Amino acid sequence: MQIQNYINGRFSDPLNGQFLDNTDPARGKVYGRIPASGAEDCDLAYEAAKAAFPAWSMMPATERSAILMRIVEGIEARHEELAQAESTDSGKPLWLTRSVDIMRAAANIRFFAEAILHFSAESHAIPGQAINYTLRQPIGVVGCISPWNLPLYLFTWKIAPALAAGNTVVAKPSEITPATAYLFSQICSEAGLPPGVLNVVHGLGGNIGKAIVSHPGIKAVSFTGGTATGAEIARIAAPMFKKLSLELGGKNPNLVFADCDLEKAVETSVRGAFTNQGQICLCGSRIFIEESLYPRFRDAFVEKVKQLKTGDPSDPDNFMGAVVSKAHLEKVESYIRLAREEGGTVLCGGERAVVGGEFSEGYFLQPTVIEGLSAYCRTNTEEIFGPVVTLTPFKTEDEALEFANATPYGLAAMLWTQDVSRTQRVAEKIQAGIVWVNCWMLRDLRTPFGGVKQSGVGREGGWEALRFFTEAKNVCIKYA
Ligand code: NAD
Protein backbone atom coordinates (compact mmCIF):
# COMPACT_ATOMS: atom_id res chain seq x y z
CA MET A 1 0.00 0.00 0.00
CA GLN A 2 1.49 3.34 -1.10
CA ILE A 3 0.18 5.93 1.32
CA GLN A 4 -0.05 9.65 0.59
CA ASN A 5 -0.76 12.77 2.59
CA TYR A 6 -4.19 14.36 2.23
CA ILE A 7 -3.78 18.13 2.13
CA ASN A 8 -6.32 20.66 0.84
CA GLY A 9 -8.47 17.88 -0.59
CA ARG A 10 -5.65 16.41 -2.68
CA PHE A 11 -3.42 13.37 -2.24
CA SER A 12 0.30 14.12 -2.41
CA ASP A 13 3.76 12.84 -1.57
CA PRO A 14 5.78 14.66 1.09
CA LEU A 15 7.69 17.71 -0.13
CA ASN A 16 11.04 16.14 0.86
CA GLY A 17 10.29 13.05 -1.29
CA GLN A 18 11.15 10.73 1.62
CA PHE A 19 9.23 7.65 2.75
CA LEU A 20 9.17 5.16 5.63
CA ASP A 21 8.60 1.41 5.45
CA ASN A 22 5.30 0.06 6.68
CA THR A 23 5.46 -3.43 8.18
CA ASP A 24 2.87 -6.21 8.45
CA PRO A 25 3.53 -7.44 12.02
CA ALA A 26 1.91 -10.87 11.55
CA ARG A 27 4.34 -11.67 8.71
CA GLY A 28 7.25 -9.52 9.89
CA LYS A 29 7.53 -8.08 6.38
CA VAL A 30 7.51 -4.63 4.83
CA TYR A 31 4.38 -4.32 2.69
CA GLY A 32 4.16 -0.63 1.87
CA ARG A 33 5.53 2.82 2.40
CA ILE A 34 4.31 6.01 3.99
CA PRO A 35 5.35 9.65 3.66
CA ALA A 36 8.11 10.76 6.04
CA SER A 37 6.59 14.22 6.19
CA GLY A 38 8.35 17.21 7.69
CA ALA A 39 7.56 20.70 8.98
CA GLU A 40 7.02 22.02 5.44
CA ASP A 41 4.13 19.56 4.95
CA CYS A 42 2.66 20.73 8.26
CA ASP A 43 2.86 24.33 6.98
CA LEU A 44 0.96 23.37 3.81
CA ALA A 45 -1.67 21.50 5.83
CA TYR A 46 -2.01 24.42 8.20
CA GLU A 47 -2.47 26.95 5.36
CA ALA A 48 -5.18 24.74 3.82
CA ALA A 49 -6.93 24.35 7.19
CA LYS A 50 -6.71 28.09 7.88
CA ALA A 51 -8.24 28.93 4.50
CA ALA A 52 -11.06 26.41 5.04
CA PHE A 53 -11.89 27.60 8.56
CA PRO A 54 -14.16 30.63 7.90
CA ALA A 55 -16.59 28.74 5.66
CA TRP A 56 -16.59 25.52 7.73
CA SER A 57 -17.03 27.28 11.06
CA MET A 58 -19.89 29.44 9.76
CA MET A 59 -21.69 26.55 8.09
CA PRO A 60 -24.94 25.69 9.93
CA ALA A 61 -24.45 22.70 12.23
CA THR A 62 -27.10 20.79 10.28
CA GLU A 63 -24.97 21.00 7.12
CA ARG A 64 -21.74 20.01 8.88
CA SER A 65 -23.64 17.15 10.46
CA ALA A 66 -24.96 15.99 7.08
CA ILE A 67 -21.44 15.87 5.62
CA LEU A 68 -20.17 13.92 8.64
CA MET A 69 -23.05 11.46 8.20
CA ARG A 70 -21.95 10.89 4.58
CA ILE A 71 -18.51 9.99 5.97
CA VAL A 72 -20.22 7.45 8.27
CA GLU A 73 -21.93 5.94 5.20
CA GLY A 74 -18.55 5.78 3.46
CA ILE A 75 -17.00 3.91 6.40
CA GLU A 76 -19.93 1.50 6.48
CA ALA A 77 -19.74 0.91 2.73
CA ARG A 78 -16.02 0.06 3.00
CA HIS A 79 -16.27 -1.74 6.35
CA GLU A 80 -14.67 -4.99 5.23
CA GLU A 81 -11.83 -3.28 3.34
CA LEU A 82 -11.08 -1.11 6.40
CA ALA A 83 -11.25 -4.11 8.75
CA GLN A 84 -8.81 -6.08 6.56
CA ALA A 85 -6.47 -3.10 6.29
CA GLU A 86 -6.50 -2.50 10.06
CA SER A 87 -5.76 -6.14 10.77
CA THR A 88 -2.87 -6.32 8.28
CA ASP A 89 -1.40 -3.04 9.48
CA SER A 90 -1.56 -3.73 13.23
CA GLY A 91 -1.46 -7.54 13.56
CA LYS A 92 -4.71 -7.58 15.50
CA PRO A 93 -7.33 -10.24 14.76
CA LEU A 94 -9.73 -9.59 11.90
CA TRP A 95 -12.71 -10.59 14.10
CA LEU A 96 -11.74 -7.68 16.37
CA THR A 97 -11.28 -5.07 13.66
CA ARG A 98 -14.61 -6.17 12.13
CA SER A 99 -16.57 -6.14 15.38
CA VAL A 100 -14.91 -3.27 17.25
CA ASP A 101 -12.42 -0.97 15.51
CA ILE A 102 -14.27 -0.05 12.33
CA MET A 103 -17.78 -0.11 13.81
CA ARG A 104 -16.57 2.20 16.55
CA ALA A 105 -14.93 4.58 14.04
CA ALA A 106 -18.33 4.95 12.33
CA ALA A 107 -20.03 5.30 15.73
CA ASN A 108 -17.62 8.08 16.78
CA ILE A 109 -18.47 10.18 13.77
CA ARG A 110 -22.19 9.47 13.95
CA PHE A 111 -22.20 10.34 17.66
CA PHE A 112 -20.60 13.79 17.20
CA ALA A 113 -22.54 14.49 13.99
CA GLU A 114 -25.70 14.07 16.09
CA ALA A 115 -24.31 15.67 19.27
CA ILE A 116 -23.52 18.95 17.54
CA LEU A 117 -27.20 19.35 16.70
CA HIS A 118 -27.98 19.35 20.43
CA PHE A 119 -24.93 21.25 21.72
CA SER A 120 -25.96 24.44 23.48
CA ALA A 121 -24.47 27.03 25.79
CA GLU A 122 -25.56 28.52 29.08
CA SER A 123 -27.12 31.84 29.97
CA HIS A 124 -27.00 33.48 33.40
CA ALA A 125 -29.50 36.18 34.25
CA ILE A 126 -28.95 38.85 36.94
CA PRO A 127 -32.63 39.65 37.57
CA GLY A 128 -33.58 43.18 36.68
CA GLN A 129 -30.00 44.09 35.67
CA ALA A 130 -28.42 42.03 32.94
CA ILE A 131 -28.23 38.80 31.01
CA ASN A 132 -25.03 36.87 30.42
CA TYR A 133 -24.90 34.40 27.61
CA THR A 134 -22.04 32.12 26.64
CA LEU A 135 -20.88 31.65 23.10
CA ARG A 136 -19.04 28.39 22.45
CA GLN A 137 -17.02 29.13 19.35
CA PRO A 138 -14.74 26.82 17.39
CA ILE A 139 -11.06 27.41 18.15
CA GLY A 140 -9.64 27.53 14.61
CA VAL A 141 -7.06 25.08 13.27
CA VAL A 142 -6.48 22.23 15.73
CA GLY A 143 -4.07 19.28 15.80
CA CYS A 144 -5.06 15.65 16.43
CA ILE A 145 -2.34 13.04 17.07
CA SER A 146 -3.18 9.39 17.69
CA PRO A 147 -1.41 6.10 18.58
CA TRP A 148 -1.15 2.66 16.96
CA ASN A 149 -3.18 0.48 19.29
CA LEU A 150 -6.68 1.45 18.11
CA PRO A 151 -5.75 3.23 14.90
CA LEU A 152 -8.95 4.36 13.16
CA TYR A 153 -10.99 4.13 16.38
CA LEU A 154 -8.88 6.77 18.18
CA PHE A 155 -8.12 8.85 15.08
CA THR A 156 -11.86 9.43 14.52
CA TRP A 157 -12.53 9.85 18.27
CA LYS A 158 -10.57 13.12 18.05
CA ILE A 159 -11.35 14.28 14.52
CA ALA A 160 -15.13 13.86 14.84
CA PRO A 161 -15.71 16.33 17.73
CA ALA A 162 -13.12 18.74 16.30
CA LEU A 163 -14.89 18.90 12.94
CA ALA A 164 -18.41 18.79 14.37
CA ALA A 165 -17.63 21.83 16.54
CA GLY A 166 -16.55 23.78 13.44
CA ASN A 167 -12.75 23.55 13.64
CA THR A 168 -10.48 22.59 10.79
CA VAL A 169 -7.89 19.93 11.47
CA VAL A 170 -4.32 18.85 10.85
CA ALA A 171 -4.22 15.20 11.92
CA LYS A 172 -1.44 12.66 12.24
CA PRO A 173 -2.00 8.93 12.73
CA SER A 174 0.72 6.71 14.13
CA GLU A 175 3.47 5.96 11.61
CA ILE A 176 3.24 2.33 12.78
CA THR A 177 -0.42 1.94 11.69
CA PRO A 178 -1.19 4.54 9.01
CA ALA A 179 -3.30 2.46 6.59
CA THR A 180 -6.86 3.12 7.75
CA ALA A 181 -6.20 6.85 8.23
CA TYR A 182 -5.24 6.93 4.54
CA LEU A 183 -8.40 5.06 3.51
CA PHE A 184 -10.38 7.36 5.79
CA SER A 185 -9.01 10.43 3.99
CA GLN A 186 -10.24 8.90 0.70
CA ILE A 187 -13.66 8.41 2.29
CA CYS A 188 -13.74 12.05 3.48
CA SER A 189 -12.87 13.23 0.00
CA GLU A 190 -15.59 11.04 -1.58
CA ALA A 191 -18.12 12.23 1.02
CA GLY A 192 -17.67 15.83 -0.10
CA LEU A 193 -15.79 17.19 2.90
CA PRO A 194 -14.62 20.59 1.62
CA PRO A 195 -10.89 20.79 0.81
CA GLY A 196 -8.70 21.82 3.74
CA VAL A 197 -11.27 21.00 6.45
CA LEU A 198 -9.36 17.83 7.34
CA ASN A 199 -5.69 17.38 6.43
CA VAL A 200 -3.96 14.09 7.18
CA VAL A 201 -0.17 14.10 7.30
CA HIS A 202 1.91 10.97 7.82
CA GLY A 203 5.34 10.46 9.31
CA LEU A 204 7.43 10.24 12.44
CA GLY A 205 6.28 11.73 15.73
CA GLY A 206 9.58 13.53 16.25
CA ASN A 207 9.24 15.26 12.84
CA ILE A 208 5.71 15.87 11.63
CA GLY A 209 4.14 15.28 15.08
CA LYS A 210 6.45 17.81 16.66
CA ALA A 211 5.81 20.25 13.80
CA ILE A 212 2.05 20.13 14.55
CA VAL A 213 2.60 20.67 18.27
CA SER A 214 5.01 23.59 17.79
CA HIS A 215 3.16 25.30 14.92
CA PRO A 216 2.19 28.78 16.19
CA GLY A 217 -1.10 28.81 14.25
CA ILE A 218 -2.40 25.49 15.60
CA LYS A 219 -4.31 26.57 18.69
CA ALA A 220 -5.16 23.27 20.36
CA VAL A 221 -3.73 19.75 20.36
CA SER A 222 -5.61 16.61 21.22
CA PHE A 223 -3.10 13.81 21.79
CA THR A 224 -3.40 10.15 22.70
CA GLY A 225 -0.23 8.15 23.26
CA GLY A 226 2.52 7.43 25.75
CA THR A 227 3.11 9.44 28.93
CA ALA A 228 6.67 10.44 27.96
CA THR A 229 5.44 11.79 24.62
CA GLY A 230 2.63 13.64 26.42
CA ALA A 231 5.20 15.30 28.68
CA GLU A 232 7.27 16.34 25.66
CA ILE A 233 4.19 17.78 23.95
CA ALA A 234 3.22 19.71 27.09
CA ARG A 235 6.77 21.13 27.35
CA ILE A 236 6.42 22.61 23.86
CA ALA A 237 2.75 23.57 23.82
CA ALA A 238 2.20 24.92 27.35
CA PRO A 239 4.42 28.02 26.97
CA MET A 240 2.58 28.72 23.68
CA PHE A 241 -0.69 28.70 25.69
CA LYS A 242 -2.28 26.03 23.53
CA LYS A 243 -5.29 24.12 24.71
CA LEU A 244 -4.15 20.55 25.40
CA SER A 245 -5.98 17.28 25.86
CA LEU A 246 -3.60 14.48 26.82
CA GLU A 247 -4.79 10.88 26.96
CA LEU A 248 -1.76 8.91 28.15
CA GLY A 249 -0.57 5.56 29.46
CA GLY A 250 -2.16 3.26 32.00
CA LYS A 251 -1.40 0.37 34.36
CA ASN A 252 -4.89 -0.51 35.33
CA PRO A 253 -5.80 -2.49 38.45
CA ASN A 254 -8.52 -5.13 38.51
CA LEU A 255 -9.77 -5.77 42.07
CA VAL A 256 -11.51 -9.09 42.64
CA PHE A 257 -13.31 -9.50 45.96
CA ALA A 258 -14.33 -12.88 47.39
CA ASP A 259 -18.05 -12.09 47.06
CA CYS A 260 -17.85 -11.68 43.27
CA ASP A 261 -19.50 -13.81 40.61
CA LEU A 262 -16.36 -15.88 40.03
CA GLU A 263 -17.22 -17.20 36.59
CA LYS A 264 -17.99 -13.74 35.21
CA ALA A 265 -14.96 -12.20 36.94
CA VAL A 266 -12.62 -14.79 35.42
CA GLU A 267 -14.14 -14.63 31.94
CA THR A 268 -14.10 -10.83 31.76
CA SER A 269 -10.69 -10.48 33.42
CA VAL A 270 -9.18 -12.75 30.74
CA ARG A 271 -10.79 -10.64 28.02
CA GLY A 272 -9.79 -7.46 29.84
CA ALA A 273 -6.17 -8.56 29.99
CA PHE A 274 -5.57 -10.06 26.54
CA THR A 275 -7.92 -8.40 24.03
CA ASN A 276 -5.83 -6.81 21.26
CA GLN A 277 -2.78 -8.65 22.71
CA GLY A 278 -3.12 -6.54 25.86
CA GLN A 279 -2.47 -3.41 23.82
CA ILE A 280 -5.46 -1.39 24.98
CA CYS A 281 -4.81 1.47 27.37
CA LEU A 282 -7.80 0.19 29.39
CA CYS A 283 -6.61 -3.41 29.82
CA GLY A 284 -6.49 -4.63 33.42
CA SER A 285 -2.89 -5.81 33.70
CA ARG A 286 -2.63 -5.98 37.51
CA ILE A 287 -5.18 -8.32 39.01
CA PHE A 288 -5.50 -8.15 42.80
CA ILE A 289 -7.56 -10.96 44.33
CA GLU A 290 -8.89 -11.30 47.89
CA GLU A 291 -6.74 -13.88 49.66
CA SER A 292 -9.51 -16.37 50.41
CA LEU A 293 -10.47 -16.53 46.71
CA TYR A 294 -6.91 -16.41 45.34
CA PRO A 295 -6.23 -20.12 44.59
CA ARG A 296 -9.63 -20.68 42.95
CA PHE A 297 -9.41 -17.51 40.86
CA ARG A 298 -5.81 -18.20 39.81
CA ASP A 299 -6.49 -21.78 38.73
CA ALA A 300 -9.61 -20.86 36.77
CA PHE A 301 -7.89 -17.85 35.20
CA VAL A 302 -4.78 -19.75 34.09
CA GLU A 303 -6.93 -22.58 32.76
CA LYS A 304 -8.85 -20.12 30.55
CA VAL A 305 -5.72 -18.31 29.38
CA LYS A 306 -4.18 -21.61 28.30
CA GLN A 307 -7.14 -22.10 25.98
CA LEU A 308 -6.54 -18.79 24.14
CA LYS A 309 -5.15 -19.35 20.67
CA THR A 310 -2.59 -17.03 19.08
CA GLY A 311 -1.76 -16.88 15.37
CA ASP A 312 -3.03 -15.91 11.90
CA PRO A 313 -5.09 -12.74 12.55
CA SER A 314 -7.62 -13.71 9.87
CA ASP A 315 -8.46 -17.06 11.55
CA PRO A 316 -11.52 -16.49 13.77
CA ASP A 317 -10.33 -19.25 16.14
CA ASN A 318 -7.38 -17.11 17.19
CA PHE A 319 -8.17 -14.81 20.09
CA MET A 320 -4.82 -13.08 19.72
CA GLY A 321 -2.83 -11.95 16.68
CA ALA A 322 0.63 -10.39 16.57
CA VAL A 323 1.89 -7.53 18.70
CA VAL A 324 2.39 -4.37 16.71
CA SER A 325 6.12 -4.32 15.97
CA LYS A 326 9.43 -6.06 16.56
CA ALA A 327 10.55 -3.23 18.86
CA HIS A 328 7.37 -3.58 20.90
CA LEU A 329 7.71 -7.40 21.04
CA GLU A 330 11.22 -6.99 22.42
CA LYS A 331 10.05 -4.40 24.97
CA VAL A 332 7.33 -6.74 26.26
CA GLU A 333 9.81 -9.66 26.40
CA SER A 334 12.20 -7.50 28.41
CA TYR A 335 9.44 -7.04 31.01
CA ILE A 336 8.89 -10.80 31.22
CA ARG A 337 12.63 -11.18 31.93
CA LEU A 338 12.39 -8.38 34.52
CA ALA A 339 9.43 -10.09 36.21
CA ARG A 340 11.53 -13.26 36.59
CA GLU A 341 14.44 -11.22 37.99
CA GLU A 342 12.06 -9.57 40.44
CA GLY A 343 11.05 -13.00 41.75
CA GLY A 344 7.89 -13.65 39.76
CA THR A 345 6.74 -17.11 38.67
CA VAL A 346 5.42 -17.48 35.14
CA LEU A 347 2.25 -19.58 35.40
CA CYS A 348 1.70 -19.76 31.66
CA GLY A 349 3.10 -18.20 28.48
CA GLY A 350 6.31 -16.20 28.79
CA GLU A 351 7.60 -17.16 25.34
CA ARG A 352 7.05 -16.24 21.71
CA ALA A 353 4.18 -18.11 20.11
CA VAL A 354 5.42 -20.27 17.25
CA VAL A 355 3.21 -19.80 14.20
CA GLY A 356 4.25 -21.53 11.02
CA GLY A 357 4.08 -20.89 7.29
CA GLU A 358 3.78 -17.30 6.10
CA PHE A 359 3.62 -16.18 9.75
CA SER A 360 6.92 -17.69 10.85
CA GLU A 361 8.59 -14.25 11.02
CA GLY A 362 5.62 -12.58 12.79
CA TYR A 363 5.67 -10.92 16.20
CA PHE A 364 3.58 -13.37 18.22
CA LEU A 365 3.76 -13.70 21.97
CA GLN A 366 1.96 -16.18 24.20
CA PRO A 367 -0.51 -14.74 26.72
CA THR A 368 1.51 -14.57 29.92
CA VAL A 369 0.39 -14.82 33.55
CA ILE A 370 2.80 -14.11 36.41
CA GLU A 371 2.39 -14.40 40.19
CA GLY A 372 4.57 -13.85 43.24
CA LEU A 373 5.50 -10.22 42.70
CA SER A 374 5.29 -7.25 45.05
CA ALA A 375 2.60 -4.71 44.13
CA TYR A 376 5.35 -2.07 44.18
CA CYS A 377 7.95 -3.67 41.87
CA ARG A 378 8.72 -2.31 38.40
CA THR A 379 6.76 -5.06 36.62
CA ASN A 380 3.71 -4.00 38.60
CA THR A 381 4.11 -0.25 38.30
CA GLU A 382 5.45 0.38 34.78
CA GLU A 383 3.30 0.16 31.66
CA ILE A 384 4.06 -2.98 29.61
CA PHE A 385 1.19 -2.67 27.11
CA GLY A 386 1.31 -6.28 25.96
CA PRO A 387 -0.18 -9.71 26.74
CA VAL A 388 1.26 -9.86 30.26
CA VAL A 389 -0.78 -9.88 33.46
CA THR A 390 0.17 -10.29 37.12
CA LEU A 391 -1.88 -11.92 39.89
CA THR A 392 -1.42 -10.72 43.49
CA PRO A 393 -3.44 -11.58 46.63
CA PHE A 394 -4.67 -8.91 49.07
CA LYS A 395 -5.94 -9.20 52.65
CA THR A 396 -8.24 -6.23 53.20
CA GLU A 397 -10.13 -3.61 51.22
CA ASP A 398 -7.64 -0.98 52.38
CA GLU A 399 -4.72 -3.08 51.16
CA ALA A 400 -6.46 -3.62 47.82
CA LEU A 401 -6.83 0.14 47.42
CA GLU A 402 -3.23 0.74 48.42
CA PHE A 403 -2.02 -1.77 45.81
CA ALA A 404 -4.37 -0.36 43.17
CA ASN A 405 -3.13 3.19 43.71
CA ALA A 406 0.56 2.25 43.87
CA THR A 407 1.45 3.37 40.33
CA PRO A 408 2.02 6.79 38.76
CA TYR A 409 -0.92 6.06 36.43
CA GLY A 410 -4.66 6.48 36.95
CA LEU A 411 -6.61 5.67 33.81
CA ALA A 412 -9.11 2.87 34.45
CA ALA A 413 -9.95 0.31 37.11
CA MET A 414 -12.08 -2.82 37.30
CA LEU A 415 -13.90 -3.95 40.41
CA TRP A 416 -15.61 -7.30 41.05
CA THR A 417 -17.99 -7.46 44.03
CA GLN A 418 -21.70 -7.85 44.79
CA ASP A 419 -21.49 -5.41 47.72
CA VAL A 420 -22.98 -2.02 46.80
CA SER A 421 -21.47 -0.20 49.79
CA ARG A 422 -18.02 -1.52 48.97
CA THR A 423 -18.49 -0.51 45.34
CA GLN A 424 -19.20 3.06 46.42
CA ARG A 425 -16.31 3.19 48.90
CA VAL A 426 -13.74 1.75 46.52
CA ALA A 427 -14.93 3.70 43.47
CA GLU A 428 -14.59 6.91 45.48
CA LYS A 429 -11.05 6.21 46.66
CA ILE A 430 -9.52 4.60 43.62
CA GLN A 431 -7.28 6.91 41.60
CA ALA A 432 -8.69 6.49 38.10
CA GLY A 433 -10.75 8.37 35.55
CA ILE A 434 -12.97 5.37 34.79
CA VAL A 435 -14.17 2.58 37.12
CA TRP A 436 -15.88 -0.48 35.68
CA VAL A 437 -17.86 -2.49 38.23
CA ASN A 438 -18.59 -6.09 37.26
CA CYS A 439 -17.80 -5.31 33.62
CA TRP A 440 -15.07 -4.03 31.30
CA MET A 441 -15.05 -1.79 28.22
CA LEU A 442 -18.77 -1.15 28.48
CA ARG A 443 -18.66 2.22 26.72
CA ASP A 444 -21.23 4.97 26.45
CA LEU A 445 -19.85 7.74 24.25
CA ARG A 446 -21.63 10.41 26.33
CA THR A 447 -19.49 9.71 29.41
CA PRO A 448 -16.29 11.60 30.34
CA PHE A 449 -13.22 9.61 29.28
CA GLY A 450 -9.69 10.23 30.55
CA GLY A 451 -7.19 9.68 33.31
CA VAL A 452 -5.66 11.18 36.43
CA LYS A 453 -2.00 11.35 37.55
CA GLN A 454 0.33 10.42 34.67
CA SER A 455 -2.56 9.01 32.62
CA GLY A 456 -3.44 12.42 31.32
CA VAL A 457 -5.02 15.81 31.53
CA GLY A 458 -8.54 16.58 30.33
CA ARG A 459 -11.49 14.47 29.31
CA GLU A 460 -12.81 13.29 25.96
CA GLY A 461 -16.29 12.03 25.10
CA GLY A 462 -19.72 13.65 25.01
CA TRP A 463 -19.99 17.35 25.85
CA GLU A 464 -16.45 17.27 27.30
CA ALA A 465 -15.00 16.83 23.82
CA LEU A 466 -17.20 19.53 22.28
CA ARG A 467 -16.24 21.89 25.11
CA PHE A 468 -12.55 21.11 24.56
CA PHE A 469 -12.83 21.95 20.88
CA THR A 470 -14.62 25.28 21.53
CA GLU A 471 -13.73 28.46 23.39
CA ALA A 472 -16.32 29.82 25.81
CA LYS A 473 -16.95 33.54 25.53
CA ASN A 474 -19.25 35.32 27.96
CA VAL A 475 -21.34 38.23 26.70
CA CYS A 476 -22.93 40.41 29.38
CA ILE A 477 -25.75 42.77 28.30
CA LYS A 478 -27.03 45.31 30.81
CA TYR A 479 -30.75 46.06 30.57
CA ALA A 480 -31.48 49.49 29.17
P1 NAD B 1 3.53 7.33 21.29
O1 NAD B 1 3.47 8.37 22.36
O2 NAD B 1 4.83 6.76 20.93
O3 NAD B 1 2.92 7.90 19.92
C1 NAD B 1 1.61 8.41 19.83
C2 NAD B 1 1.55 9.37 18.67
O4 NAD B 1 2.37 10.50 18.95
C3 NAD B 1 2.08 8.81 17.35
O5 NAD B 1 1.31 9.31 16.28
C4 NAD B 1 3.50 9.35 17.30
O6 NAD B 1 4.01 9.45 16.01
C5 NAD B 1 3.30 10.73 17.92
N1 NAD B 1 4.51 11.32 18.50
C6 NAD B 1 5.60 10.69 18.99
N2 NAD B 1 6.50 11.60 19.43
C7 NAD B 1 5.94 12.83 19.24
C8 NAD B 1 6.37 14.16 19.50
N3 NAD B 1 7.54 14.41 20.07
N4 NAD B 1 5.54 15.17 19.18
C9 NAD B 1 4.33 14.93 18.64
N5 NAD B 1 3.88 13.69 18.34
C10 NAD B 1 4.68 12.65 18.65
O7 NAD B 1 2.48 6.22 21.73
P2 NAD B 1 2.20 4.83 21.01
O8 NAD B 1 3.33 3.91 21.30
O9 NAD B 1 1.80 5.08 19.60
O10 NAD B 1 0.89 4.34 21.78
C11 NAD B 1 0.91 3.60 22.95
C12 NAD B 1 0.64 4.46 24.15
O11 NAD B 1 -0.61 5.13 24.01
C13 NAD B 1 0.52 3.67 25.43
O12 NAD B 1 1.22 4.34 26.45
C14 NAD B 1 -0.97 3.67 25.72
O13 NAD B 1 -1.31 3.52 27.08
C15 NAD B 1 -1.35 5.01 25.22
N6 NAD B 1 -2.79 5.09 24.95
C16 NAD B 1 -3.56 5.84 25.78
C17 NAD B 1 -4.93 5.91 25.57
C18 NAD B 1 -5.83 6.74 26.45
O14 NAD B 1 -6.98 6.93 26.07
N7 NAD B 1 -5.36 7.23 27.57
C19 NAD B 1 -5.49 5.21 24.50
C20 NAD B 1 -4.66 4.45 23.67
C21 NAD B 1 -3.30 4.40 23.91
Side-chain angles (χ1 to χ4, degrees):
M1 184 186 261
Q2 307 299 313
I3 285 173
Q4 290 188 300
N5 289 334
Y6 174 59
I7 298 176
N8 207 15
R10 285 189 292 274
F11 290 90
S12 55
D13 289 341
L15 290 174
N16 61 18
Q18 290 175 12
F19 293 86
L20 303 165
D21 286 342
N22 190 19
T23 303
D24 168 348
R27 293 170 181 81
K29 289 205 162 52
V30 172
Y31 81 107
R33 61 174 205 173
I34 75 164
S37 308
E40 58 289 353
D41 300 292
C42 179
D43 290 342
L44 274 186
Y46 168 74
E47 289 304 330
K50 187 179 165 201
F53 179 72
W56 182 250
S57 58
M58 293 306 289
M59 188 183 274
T62 46
E63 287 178 33
R64 281 204 302 271
S65 175
I67 295 174
L68 292 174
M69 286 307 238
R70 288 207 295 275
I71 296 175
V72 174
E73 286 164 20
I75 294 175
E76 287 173 347
R78 292 172 72 174
H79 177 272
E80 181 58 21
E81 179 192 357
L82 287 161
Q84 298 263 1
E86 199 76 293
S87 174
T88 304
D89 214 27
S90 66
K92 64 172 77 183
L94 185 56
W95 64 261
L96 189 63
T97 61
R98 278 182 180 148
S99 61
V100 176
D101 292 79
I102 308 307
M103 306 252 282
R104 176 58 194 275
N108 288 339
I109 298 182
R110 185 185 298 109
F111 178 84
F112 285 107
E114 288 170 351
I116 200 61
L117 302 177
H118 305 274
F119 188 48
S120 59
E122 316 84 87
S123 73
H124 302 87
I126 309 173
Q129 283 188 56
I131 178 84
N132 291 276
Y133 65 88
T134 306
L135 289 174
R136 291 199 177 270
Q137 298 174 302
I139 299 170
V141 180
V142 301
C144 297
I145 302 178
S146 57
W148 49 257
N149 67 317
L150 296 164
L152 192 61
Y153 175 133
L154 289 177
F155 197 58
T156 51
W157 182 233
K158 297 182 175 304
I159 289 170
L163 294 180
N167 302 282
T168 53
V169 174
V170 178
K172 189 196 104 55
S174 170
E175 62 275 26
I176 300 171
T177 52
T180 48
Y182 173 60
L183 298 176
F184 177 72
S185 42
Q186 292 177 353
I187 290 168
C188 290
S189 172
E190 288 155 14
L193 189 70
V197 169
L198 170 67
N199 304 276
V200 181
V201 282
H202 294 268
L204 294 172
N207 296 339
I208 183 68
K210 198 168 176 184
I212 293 172
V213 172
S214 43
H215 196 290
I218 296 179
K219 302 277 187 243
V221 175
S222 175
F223 168 79
T224 299
T227 294
T229 315
E232 171 67 14
I233 288 174
R235 258 194 299 278
I236 295 171
M240 299 174 83
F241 306 107
K242 295 192 182 199
K243 249 184 143 176
L244 276 182
S245 172
L246 302 174
E247 301 293 334
L248 310 177
K251 184 75 176 176
N252 308 307
N254 176 1
L255 307 186
V256 184
F257 287 88
D259 67 345
C260 72
D261 178 328
L262 181 62
E263 202 178 314
K264 282 199 186 125
V266 169
E267 198 265 324
T268 308
S269 298
V270 169
R271 216 165 38 80
F274 297 111
T275 300
N276 199 26
Q277 300 70 249
Q279 304 167 136
I280 301 181
C281 54
L282 305 165
C283 279
S285 56
R286 296 179 295 145
I287 310 185
F288 299 109
I289 305 121
E290 194 162 2
E291 210 171 40
S292 58
L293 184 70
Y294 187 81
R296 279 175 66 208
F297 181 94
R298 177 196 52 204
D299 295 350
F301 186 86
V302 171
E303 187 55 39
K304 264 217 168 321
V305 174
K306 283 182 176 162
Q307 288 164 17
L308 300 180
K309 290 190 183 149
T310 304
D312 176 0
S314 67
D315 181 342
D317 278 350
N318 289 328
F319 183 77
M320 299 209 322
V323 301
V324 79
S325 67
K326 187 156 185 281
H328 192 58
L329 173 72
E330 288 166 358
K331 177 194 154 184
V332 178
E333 286 180 314
S334 78
Y335 272 100
I336 298 172
R337 276 197 302 280
L338 175 70
R340 289 191 163 110
E341 283 159 28
E342 288 184 317
T345 304
V346 174
L347 298 174
C348 66
E351 307 293 334
R352 291 191 186 189
V354 179
V355 185
E358 61 184 301
F359 302 104
S360 58
E361 303 293 314
Y363 314 135
F364 297 94
L365 200 56
Q366 296 171 349
T368 300
V369 184
I370 301 168
E371 71 169 357
L373 288 167
S374 149
Y376 307 99
C377 69
R378 282 184 55 205
T379 309
N380 260 332
T381 53
E382 295 177 13
E383 186 182 45
I384 301 174
F385 213 53
V388 178
V389 70
T390 62
L391 307 182
T392 312
F394 66 81
K395 290 189 174 63
T396 62
E397 187 179 303
D398 282 348
E399 190 178 54
L401 269 167
E402 200 181 303
F403 287 174
N405 292 338
T407 75
Y409 298 104
L411 187 54
M414 237 189 287
L415 176 58
W416 292 92
T417 180
Q418 311 274 8
D419 180 339
V420 177
S421 304
R422 183 185 358 248
T423 299
Q424 290 170 333
R425 281 194 306 272
V426 174
E428 245 174 55
K429 289 187 192 143
I430 209 154
Q431 294 164 352
I434 302 150
V435 184
W436 274 298
V437 182
N438 299 328
C439 60
W440 178 69
M441 278 290 268
L442 190 50
R443 290 282 290 120
D444 179 329
L445 303 188
R446 295 170 299 180
T447 59
F449 180 95
V452 298
K453 304 199 295 190
Q454 292 187 18
S455 288
V457 181
R459 292 291 178 274
E460 298 187 326
W463 301 138
E464 303 272 350
L466 292 177
R467 290 195 182 118
F468 174 77
F469 282 116
T470 50
E471 285 284 11
K473 179 190 288 172
N474 188 65
V475 182
C476 177
I477 307 175
K478 194 171 184 310
Y479 294 163

